[in-house]
């Protein structure tokens, strides 16, 4: 090998400087990406000559306890190419205004000096309004300037407030956790103004409704390091390797520590590669498989043999021993409500007896009332709201009877519904009889009901399956085969392995789950079947266990302090917070395109309505859900009218409003959404792709909000089935007067907006970032100043506040008052407002604000001083403290301490801590949060001790002196402190896992029983057959109305359209990035099974059309054996601006994106309110906007693609 | 014995999540310039698949690497005299179709579009001509089995399966894929060096990194053909060949290569290994079946006093020896025998190594036609979805025994940890599995620790690169500090 030489001659190696010189930089700055990926990764940004060159990961996360793998390097292929955007050709460098609107504005301004009047002259001119609406999304932007754009925006805001009310102004920005101050900038402005803020977690259907149903909690999950503590990991609907990129290694590494990894996924996905078992469950049918697993676990680990760990767990931490009343129905019985304490003599007079529940005590054989139910939470005497198994009356010990089978007085046949088979069946349940005020009634336990529901044969007669091989009777391993495609033996073995692992490890089994399951219409039902397995095996509240749901970066860790700033609670309350799904379902008129909702229909009772829209309106009326605009009248004018009618005090004003509502003089806007007075008018969008990736039913957004071109062909069919809500024949096109988008890139939303404001990108601003997936606080940092004319979100909204105060001098010179309506809220006494469903509008009860209807508040606003409120941390925080999860933490003393150490903002002769600069705001969030200020944590635990009556503050004693500020986070990410607002314990490097504080410290869950719920007794759940965990199959094609007008093409197939999160983008971000397009197919393709493709005559990389009544997508096909037959995968949600041609099928209009073929569908049970865990909280509760049950016809595009 | 040091890498394929972050880190740093658009010094391939450039493994087409002829090694491309004759005609080069035509989009149309009748769009255009184009290929075209009937089906390694087995592979019960990150192997016997007519390619003495001198390269492109891994690329803009430099500018300051630094799956280990440079030719000339063992053999035990003494005589610094003793790569390759070279039959003695992946167990359809899994608790040799033959085709020149030995160890380790931490597998069964895999419990703990728990300080171990010594050969380091420290890349010339 003589030609291989060591070359040491320095001359011949001087050229090596070439590459050394490329590896050079001037500075390195810590930042992160604000993109709702859940990564929350710390990155170092390299800057050379004032230009960002590239990014590499930080490698300095503080370690967790010994025996856990390290977090770094976190990151992903998307994150590492982010710097492309900063100087890319899609960068928004200047303010833009659509040309046609600019011309109108210049013309109007030439005539009127006053901007508000100028705006009025445009929007009140029907033709002009129509002209610029139709131009939306069709190019024609012109460079404008900041002053002009701010003036138009504020003119539209003031015009709208004056003419219709501030609640006609809405704002949307999702996922505050990814850059929480950028979010807070807009929300703070909006709440000071009186606008409505739209939620996102439920809109994305990322919110898992089963979580509040079971635990009274939005989502509370383990950080990814805790996966490593697990010994049995089931992954479903979550493609860890692709979408939890920085965290996947923990699951992979756990396997080498002896964990088994089982993956449910219809396609062979990236994470399936790591599985010991890959189980290709048919899409959307996971619930059936879990039902059979639960059947086996109940039979083998609860009925035939009892495992002490499981039994003890169920007694203390679940509703399993609580008693259910059985109600006569038809020939048999049906499961009714939890037996209330005040139904029996012993507890007849206890406070909140309607909200305290009963078990049989094994020792005495008597009925007992364990502490911890919601009634104890809101009673006057505090300290009994805990999970000690003690009687709430006399403190005696209780050993709850899990099953009445041994001591039964009778066996009754209870009917259950088999939704798959569309039939009911009767199964025997052991009962005892209880003397109540209404006579002697049969009761049974939740566990006994479950045994019957799942078909565990216990010799009680009834329609029980004969064996695991019984294919006909639910819910056996053989029964589930027809839904899941998975064999019975596999299911039985899975159940045995799962339960045995839990038995041997005391609960170290976990389900990692995500949108692949959660985006289905019946997701809550599917989730509860898996949760049941976890609960039956004692896996929740255990490190290495639990339901770990990850979809969306929903966890804003310092919530308590942040919400004070973000919702402007330091100046005004309550905020106007709107659940996004209801808002868009109603206002974008998607309700008009459906008939009866596609679910089991109760025959009678309050839920026996044909159209969901009527239930939606009822939910608003009864205070279950928020809705803005509120009324068909300007809420400012309402106060004036009330005053004119003689009302003086706030009480008199609201009484007057209630009376107007009762008599029908004022109507809720939701009852007549197409009346122009009830339209939303101005939409501010920031940090969002609100018109595209976040727009389920995108084509309806284009039609009804924007009034521009669209590809929907569906008929408006609700007229016949909607009964209470007003049906207007003439379709409304173009409700929005103005759509404003803050953006750093030309995405689809920017393209369709009227005004684009250039915002600083993620390496150009300072902010804070947190996630579910790890337990650190870390910063987003400015490596370079905002490029070109861009500004940070904080500075943009501060500019808007300045302009608002300036223009308000003419139009709102004095402070004024208005009416704000808010729903009944979780974590407040509203939780015990409505023991039964009663509609005041039908005379079933009195209209009482905050009890039977929404709260009504008289709120003062001061637009002239709005900018001062924006820039100063107001006295409200001193007065109210900070609050999260019902823990109100006093901050007295600390406010003054903070004020001394930070810059002040002086106004009106008083000094406040300044929020003028975003760094001040970040430091305020950190200072008042229990997760970053040990004293706040300690005080919070003291408050929690008072509520719970057990010692807890020891959890905070060790870190009482800790204070993190922004500069510390810049040096190194810091780990959160154990917080009274969360349920994990993270002291000494322990991995965060949800609910360990409940299990170890006996803190109740925020539910009806205070325990985890297997059974839900709200009337809605009983009406729709979802009280017990059950199985509901995917919605069938006919019910979706997807293909009423769309006919099959020659050689086409109808396929389920599955839209999981993809590999080359995070939602739409990065989907236009050149690197990502290069490493993929140059366009987001449709994935098809090879045999299906060959049936359609489609080869790999051919162009295809995928269409239904909602819209059309034109793209290329990827043909692959890894996709099962009958489904197509189109990864959510590429920009429709990149490389998508026109659709011959739809008049040669540009094809759309993922949401062009979707239309959202809301589920009625999730609207229930004013009832323990079924109570509203922003983003934490409500109907999710599901869209996964979508079908399309796919065929090969004829001829060459057309672009222009 | 002639002791040399080589910086070497291990890829733990079981941990690879296929995210491609490594490829992009590399692209950002090194190949984001005109002429380098299509270069992916580091890429990640889906296996089965045809790789990048397409079908690069098919040496009947490309003639890369070495062949053994009458017991002698020669370049498959042809001996040097023939090569020189054909110097201006090289038919063994991949064409643009085997790579791809780099593309971008008319992005500016989105902002600049005039008012029209429909939504504007950014159309794809060629980066070479600027014209509108149809995108028909890319550097990662068959990712995750994209176009499996065309690409995966034609993976050259699948030829070890018979027709029925190949058909079966594309049914759900057997379908599987895994990822194979690839970069320059910084071979001990590099065919690119041998093929270069200009003598522009060299292997650095201090660390074994193979480099193409950007001064000497004359653009003959014989290295492109000569490298069987197709990891040397031709820069059309500069007219010179370029390839992975193992991030020597980062290594020299004690930082890991960008691909490793950014590896989110934490699959990469980097360390130094000592080898006997006298035995390169002999090792590369072994029969196919002996190649893997021979390559292990040429790697020297850094604790062996004889090796240490010789190394010192050969000028290997004590710090290098110390680093070799802590090398995670040495452990995986030599001590635990878990990491294998890629396509050793090409005889370049590649110095990057792979731990093969565990994959899900196979399934079958029951009487009702439903999917039933093999009852194994973990994946197993017997129920592997991809036959051992396939892995052997990739990593051991077709010899199944070394692959089986690796899998026995990986599985026994998991069984042992299961028995230890859960107990539903009895410990005696676990100990039996260890015995069959020729492992002891301490080794299991060590492997487990390195696989699951090790931090960057254990995964990345290199000696200090003593830059002052290298710089001193050209310029006094003090002078360097004064003149260059402030950042002058080009010093101004007097009188200009």
């Amino acid at each position: 090998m003589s030609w291989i030489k060591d070359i040491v001659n320095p001359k011949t190696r001087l050229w090596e400087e070439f590459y050394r010189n490329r590896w050079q930089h001037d500075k390195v700055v810590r930042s992160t990406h604000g993109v709702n990926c859940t990564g929350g990764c710390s990155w170092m940004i390299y800057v050379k000559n004032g230009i960002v060159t590239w990014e590499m990961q930080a490698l300095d996360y503080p370690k967790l306890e010994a025996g856990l793998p390290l977090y770094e390097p976190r990151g992903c292929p998307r994150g590492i190419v982010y710097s492309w955007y900063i100087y890319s050709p899609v960068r928004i460098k200047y303010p833009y205004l659509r040309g046609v609107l600019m011309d109108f504005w210049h013309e109007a301004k030439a005539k009127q000096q006053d901007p508000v009047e100028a705006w009025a002259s445009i929007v009140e001119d029907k033709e002009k309004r129509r002209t610029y609406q139709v131009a939306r999304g069709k190019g024609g932007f012109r460079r404008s300037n900041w002053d002009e754009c701010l003036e138009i925006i504020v003119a539209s805001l003031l015009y709208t407030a004056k003419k219709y009310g501030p609640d006609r102004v809405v704002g949307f920005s999702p996922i505050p956790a990814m850059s929480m101050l950028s979010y807070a900038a807009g929300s703070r402005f909006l709440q000071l103004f009186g606008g409505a803020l739209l939620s996102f977690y439920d809109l994305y259907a990322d919110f898992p409704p089963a979580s509040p149903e079971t635990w009274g909690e939005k989502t509370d999950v383990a950080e990814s390091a805790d996966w490593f503590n697990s010994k049995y990991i089931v992954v479903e609907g979550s493609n860890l390797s692709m979408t939890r990129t920085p965290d996947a290694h923990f699951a992979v590494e756990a396997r080498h520590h002896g964990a088994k990894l089982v993956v449910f996924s219809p396609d062979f996905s990236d994470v399936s590669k790591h599985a010991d078992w890959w189980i290709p469950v048919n899409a959307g049918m996971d619930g059936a498989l879990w039902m059979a697993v639960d059947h086996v676990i109940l039979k083998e680990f609860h009925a035939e043999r009892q495992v002490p760990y499981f039994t003890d767990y169920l007694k203390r931490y679940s509703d399993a021993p609580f008693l259910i009343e059985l109600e006569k129905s038809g020939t048999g019985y049906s499961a009714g409500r939890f037996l209330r304490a005040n139904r029996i003599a012993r507890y007849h007079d206890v406070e909140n007896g309607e909200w305290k529940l009963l078990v049989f005590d094994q020792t005495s054989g008597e009925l007992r009332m364990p502490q911890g139910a919601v009634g104890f939470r809101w009673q006057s005497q505090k300290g009994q709201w805990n999970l000690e198994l003690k009687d709430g009356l006399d403190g005696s010990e209780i050993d709850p009877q899990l099953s009445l089978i041994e001591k039964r007085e009778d066996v009754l046949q209870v009917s259950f519904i088999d939704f798959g088979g569309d039939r009911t069946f009767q199964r025997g349940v052991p009962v005892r009889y209880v003397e109540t005020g209404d006579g002697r009634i049969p009761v049974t336990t939740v566990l006994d009901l479950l045994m019957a529901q799942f078909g565990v044969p216990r010799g009680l007669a009834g329609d029980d399956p004969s064996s695991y091989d019984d294919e006909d009777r639910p819910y056996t391993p053989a029964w589930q085969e027809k839904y899941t495609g998975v064999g019975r033996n596999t299911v039985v073995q899975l159940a045995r392995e799962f339960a045995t692992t839990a038995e041997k490890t005391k609960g170290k089994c976990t389900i990692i789950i995500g949108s692949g399951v959660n985006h289905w219409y019946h997701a809550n039902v599917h989730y509860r079947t898996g949760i049941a397995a976890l609960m039956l095996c004692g896996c929740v509240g255990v490190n290495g266990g639990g339901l770990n749901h990850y979809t969306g970066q929903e966890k804003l860790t310092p919530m308590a302090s942040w919400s004070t700033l973000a919702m402007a609670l330091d100046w005004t309350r309550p905020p106007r917070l709107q659940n996004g799904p209801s808002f868009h379902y109603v206002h974008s008129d998607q309700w008009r395109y459906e008939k009866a909702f596609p679910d089991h229909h109760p025959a009678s009772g309050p839920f026996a309505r044909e159209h969901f829209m009527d239930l939606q309106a009822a939910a608003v009326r009864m205070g279950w859900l928020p809705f803005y605009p509120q009324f068909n009248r300007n809420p400012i004018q309402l106060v004036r009218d009330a005053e004119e009618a003689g009302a003086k005090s706030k009480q008199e004003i609201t009484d007057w409003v209630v009376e107007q509502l009762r008599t029908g003089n004022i109507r809720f806007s939701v009852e007549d959404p197409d009346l122009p007075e009830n339209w939303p008018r101005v939409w501010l969008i920031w940090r969002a792709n609100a018109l595209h990736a976040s727009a389920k039913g995108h084509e309806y957004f284009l039609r009804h909000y924007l009034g521009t071109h669209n590809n929907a062909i569906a008929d408006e069919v609700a007229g016949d089935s909607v009964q209470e809500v007003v049906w207007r024949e003439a379709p409304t096109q173009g409700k929005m007067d103005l759509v404003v988008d803050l953006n750093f890139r030309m995405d689809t939303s920017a393209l369709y907006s009227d005004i684009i404001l250039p915002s600083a990108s993620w390496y150009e601003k300072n902010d804070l970032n947190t996630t579910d997936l790890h337990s650190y606080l870390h910063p987003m940092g400015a490596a370079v100043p905002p490029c070109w004319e861009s500004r940070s979100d904080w500075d943009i909204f501060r500019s808007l506040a300045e302009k608002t105060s300036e223009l308000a001098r003419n139009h709102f010179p004095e402070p004024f008052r208005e009416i704000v309506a808010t729903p009944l809220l979780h974590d407040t006494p509203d939780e015990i407002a409505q023991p039964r469903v009663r509609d005041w509008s039908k005379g079933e009860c009195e209209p009482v604000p905050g009890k039977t209807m929404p709260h009504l508040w008289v709120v003062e606003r001061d637009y002239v001083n709005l900018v001062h409120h924006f820039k100063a941390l107001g006295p409200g925080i001193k007065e109210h403290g900070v609050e999260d999860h019902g823990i109100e933490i006093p901050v007295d003393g600390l406010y003054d301490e903070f004020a001394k150490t930070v810059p002040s903002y002086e106004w009106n002769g008083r000094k406040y801590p300044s929020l003028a600069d975003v760094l001040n705001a970040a430091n305020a969030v950190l200072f008042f949060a229990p997760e970053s200020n040990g004293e706040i944590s300690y005080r919070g635990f003291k408050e929690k001790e008072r509520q719970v009556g057990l010692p807890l503050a020891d959890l905070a004693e060790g870190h009482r002196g800790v204070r993190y500020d922004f500069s510390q986070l810049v040096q190194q990410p810091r780990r959160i402190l154990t917080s009274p607002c969360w349920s994990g314990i993270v002291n000494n490097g322990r991995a965060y896992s949800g609910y360990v504080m409940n299990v170890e410290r006996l803190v109740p869950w925020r539910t009806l029983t205070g325990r985890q719920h297997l059974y839900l007794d709200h009337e809605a759940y009983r009406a729709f057959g979802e009280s017990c965990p059950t199985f509901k199959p995917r919605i069938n094609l006919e019910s979706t109305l997807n293909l009423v007008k769309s006919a099959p093409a020659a050689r086409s197939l109808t396929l389920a359209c599955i839209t999981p999160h993809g590999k080359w983008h995070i939602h739409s971000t990065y989907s236009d990035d050149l690197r990502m397009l290069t490493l993929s197919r140059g366009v987001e393709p449709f994935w098809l099974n090879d045999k299906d493709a060959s049936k359609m005559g489609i080869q790999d990389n051919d162009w295809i059309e995928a269409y239904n009544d909602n819209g059309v997508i034109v793209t290329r096909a990827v043909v692959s054996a890894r996709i099962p037959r009958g489904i197509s995968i189109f990864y959510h949600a590429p920009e429709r601006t990149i490389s998508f041609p026109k659709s011959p099928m739809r008049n040669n209009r540009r094809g759309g994106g993922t949401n062009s073929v979707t239309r959202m569908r809301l589920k009625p049970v999730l609207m229930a309110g004013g009832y323990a865990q079924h109570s509203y909280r922003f983003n934490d509760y409500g109907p999710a906007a599901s869209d996964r049950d979508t079908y399309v016809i796919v065929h090969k595009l004829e001829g060459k693609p057309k672009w222009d | 014995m002639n002791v040399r040091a080589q910086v070497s890498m291990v890829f733990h394929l079981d941990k690879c999540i296929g995210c491609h972050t490594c490829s992009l880190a590399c692209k950002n740093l090194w190949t984001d310039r005109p002429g380098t658009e299509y270069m992916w010094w580091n890429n990640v391939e889906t296996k089965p698949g045809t790789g990048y450039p397409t079908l690069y493994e098919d040496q009947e087409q490309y003639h890369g690497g070495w062949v053994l002829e009458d017991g002698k090694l020669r370049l498959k491309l042809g001996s040097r005299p023939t090569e020189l004759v054909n110097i201006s005609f090289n038919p063994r080069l991949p064409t643009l179709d085997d790579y791809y035509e780099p593309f971008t989009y008319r992005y500016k149309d989105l902002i600049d579009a005039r008012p029209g009748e429909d939504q504007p769009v950014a159309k794809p255009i060629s980066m070479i001509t600027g014209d509108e184009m149809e995108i028909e290929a890319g550097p990662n075209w068959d990712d995750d089995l994209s176009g499996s009937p065309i690409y995966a089906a034609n993976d050259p390694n699948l030829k070890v399966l018979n027709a029925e087995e190949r058909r079966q592979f594309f049914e759900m019960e057997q379908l599987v894929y895994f990822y194979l990150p690839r970069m320059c192997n910084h071979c001990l016997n590099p065919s690119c060096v041998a093929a270069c007519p200009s003598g522009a390619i060299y292997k650095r003495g201090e660390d074994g990194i193979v480099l193409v001198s950007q001064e000497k390269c004359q653009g003959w492109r014989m290295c492109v053909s000569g490298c069987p891994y197709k990891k040397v690329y031709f820069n059309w803009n500069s007219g010179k060949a370029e390839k992975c430099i193992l991030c020597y500018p980062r290594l020299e300051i004690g930082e890991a290569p960008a691909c490793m630094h950014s590896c989110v799956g934490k699959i990469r280990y980097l360390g130094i290994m000592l080898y006997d440079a006298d035995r390169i030719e002999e090792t590369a000339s072994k029969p196919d079946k002996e190649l893997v063992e021979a390559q292990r053999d040429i790697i020297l035990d850094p604790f062996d006093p004889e090796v240490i003494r010789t190394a010192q005589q050969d000028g290997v610094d004590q710090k290098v020896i110390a680093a070799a003793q802590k090398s995670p790569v040495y452990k995986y390759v030599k001590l635990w025998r878990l990491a294998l070279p890629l396509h050793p039959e090409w005889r370049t003695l590649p110095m990057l190594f792979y731990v093969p992946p565990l994959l899900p167990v196979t399934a079958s359809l029951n009487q009702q036609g439903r999917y039933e899994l093999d009852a194994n608790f973990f994946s197993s040799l017997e129920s592997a979805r991809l036959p051992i033959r396939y892995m052997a085709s990739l990593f051991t020149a077709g010899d199944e025994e070394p692959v089986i030995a690796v899998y026995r160890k990986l599985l026994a380790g998991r069984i042992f940890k299961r028995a230890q931490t859960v107990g539903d597998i009895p410990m005696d069964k676990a100990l039996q599995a260890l015995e069959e895999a020729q492992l002891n419990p301490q080794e299991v703990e060590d492997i487990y620790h390195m696989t699951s728990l090790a931090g960057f300080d254990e995964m990345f171990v290199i000696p200090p690169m003593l830059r002052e010594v290298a710089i001193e050969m050209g310029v006094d380091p003090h002078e360097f500090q004064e003149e260059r420290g402030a950042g002058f890349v080009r010093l101004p010339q007097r009188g200009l």
Side-chain angles (χ1 to χ4, degrees), chain A residues 6 20 22 273 1082 1149, chain B residues 4 16 29 105 117 252:
Chain A
D6 301 333
R20 286 195 193 101
R22 191 171 159 98
K273 172 231 173 204
R1149 282 253 174 230
Chain B
R4 300 295 173 95
C16 184
L29 261 61
Y105 302 83
E117 288 305 304
E252 288 170 354

Side-chain angles (χ1 to χ4, degrees), chain A residues 96-326:
Chain A
Y96 284 98
L97 177 56
R98 199 173 309 282
V100 55
L101 186 56
M102 184 184 268
D103 291 340
F104 288 151
W105 180 253
H106 289 170
E107 198 185 309
K109 280 282 284 189
K111 289 181 195 152
Q112 289 100 338
Q113 278 301 301
D114 185 85
V116 176
E117 283 166 28
W119 181 250
S121 77
I122 297 171
V123 288
E124 288 177 2
D125 181 327
K126 270 191 178 170
E127 199 167 324
K128 282 185 179 161
R129 191 171 182 272
R130 192 79 208 116
T131 305
Y132 74 77
Q133 285 190 332
V134 170
R136 286 168 171 167
K138 301 198 186 82
F141 277 115
R142 274 187 241 155
R143 185 173 164 183
S144 175
N145 60 65
W146 275 101
D147 203 51
E148 181 171 72
C149 288
L150 291 173
E151 192 173 76
I152 298 174
I153 296 165
V154 171
S156 79
L157 294 176
L158 295 178
Y159 169 83
T160 304
K162 220 172 177 177
K163 173 139 188 180
Y164 303 107
D167 57 346
R168 272 70 174 174
V169 172
V170 295
F172 181 71
S173 186
I175 320 292
M178 63 195 189
S179 50
M180 53 190 80
L181 281 314
S182 297
Y183 181 103
S187 58
R188 186 172 175 83
F189 171 77
L190 213 59
Q191 293 309 335
L192 289 171
F193 187 82
L197 186 65
L198 304 182
S199 68
F200 45 88
Y201 196 36
D202 44 356
L203 176 64
Y204 295 164
D206 289 352
F207 154 69
S211 185
E213 287 173 339
T214 308
W215 298 299
E217 174 60 78
K218 167 173 74 158
T219 296
D220 198 352
V221 294
E223 62 178 304
S224 54
D226 195 49
W227 305 345
F228 192 77
N229 288 319
S230 186
K231 306 315 295 187
Y232 207 90
I233 304 174
V234 179
V235 177
E236 56 176 323
S238 185
N239 194 355
L240 297 186
S241 313
M242 193 188 274
T243 62
R244 302 281 83 84
T245 319
D247 303 287
H249 71 90
F250 287 112
V252 174
E253 289 157 346
R255 291 153 63 248
H256 292 270
H257 195 224
K260 179 164 183 169
L261 183 66
V262 178
V263 173
F264 300 178
S265 170
D267 59 316
F268 191 91
S269 61
D270 292 27
V271 68
S272 306
K273 172 231 173 204
H274 295 286
D276 291 295
W277 275 17
W278 169 53
I279 305 185
V281 183
N282 287 336
M285 298 294 190
D286 301 55
L289 198 152
W290 279 114
M291 286 301 283
V293 168
D294 295 340
H295 173 95
V296 174
I297 292 174
L298 278 167
K299 181 166 181 291
E300 298 187 15
F301 295 83
H302 285 276
E304 291 171 356
R305 176 173 80 92
Q306 277 93 43
V307 177
Y309 172 72
F310 296 173
T311 311
D312 293 346
Y313 184 93
L314 284 184
K315 282 183 180 180
R316 192 179 284 278
Y317 303 117
S318 83
D319 65 346
F322 283 84
L323 297 170
I324 303 295
E325 297 183 13
L326 298 183

Side-chain angles (χ1 to χ4, degrees), chain A residues 71-86:
Chain A
Y71 266 104
E72 67 244 15
R74 301 179 64 75
C76 75
R78 283 88 40 169
I80 204 163
V81 299
Y82 176 71
S83 50
W84 179 85
Y85 271 129
I86 300 176

Side-chain angles (χ1 to χ4, degrees), chain A residues 966-1023:
Chain A
F966 192 79
S967 66
Q968 285 171 295
L969 307 191
V970 170
Q971 286 160 27
Q972 189 188 26
R974 301 292 160 137
R975 191 143 193 262
I976 59 162
L977 309 173
T978 297
S979 161
C981 300
W982 296 102
S983 68
I985 299 175
V986 297
N987 294 348
N988 303 320
R990 181 174 172 185
Y992 186 100
S993 183
Y995 309 123
V996 300
M997 209 183 289
N998 305 79
V999 166
E1000 295 175 15
R1001 310 306 287 258
L1002 304 184
V1003 174
W1005 280 270
R1006 292 137 57 231
T1007 61
L1008 178 61
T1009 60
R1011 277 81 178 168
Q1012 311 177 71
H1013 272 250
L1014 290 157
Y1015 186 83
L1016 302 171
D1017 78 337
H1018 188 276
E1019 281 169 68
Y1021 285 81
R1022 286 187 284 133

Side-chain angles (χ1 to χ4, degrees), chain A residues 6 13 16 19-20 22 57 80 140 231 256 270 273 276 487 490 501 1072 1082 1119-1120 1137 1149-1150, chain B residues 4 14 16 28-29 105 107 113 117-118 122 144-145 147 202 206 242 248 252 261 371-372 414 418:
Chain A
D6 301 333
R13 284 180 56 178
E16 287 179 11
Y19 290 121
R20 286 195 193 101
R22 191 171 159 98
Q57 292 110 310
I80 204 163
K231 306 315 295 187
H256 292 270
D270 292 27
K273 172 231 173 204
D276 291 295
T490 295
T501 305
D1072 46 1
V1119 174
S1120 177
T1137 55
R1149 282 253 174 230
R1150 177 90 46 224
Chain B
R4 300 295 173 95
D14 186 59
C16 184
N28 279 349
L29 261 61
Y105 302 83
Y107 286 112
E117 288 305 304
D118 200 0
D144 287 0
L145 297 184
Y202 60 99
E206 66 270 32
E242 289 193 59
Y248 67 80
E252 288 170 354
H261 182 110
Y371 181 96
E372 292 274 20
R414 292 188 68 197
R418 179 87 192 172

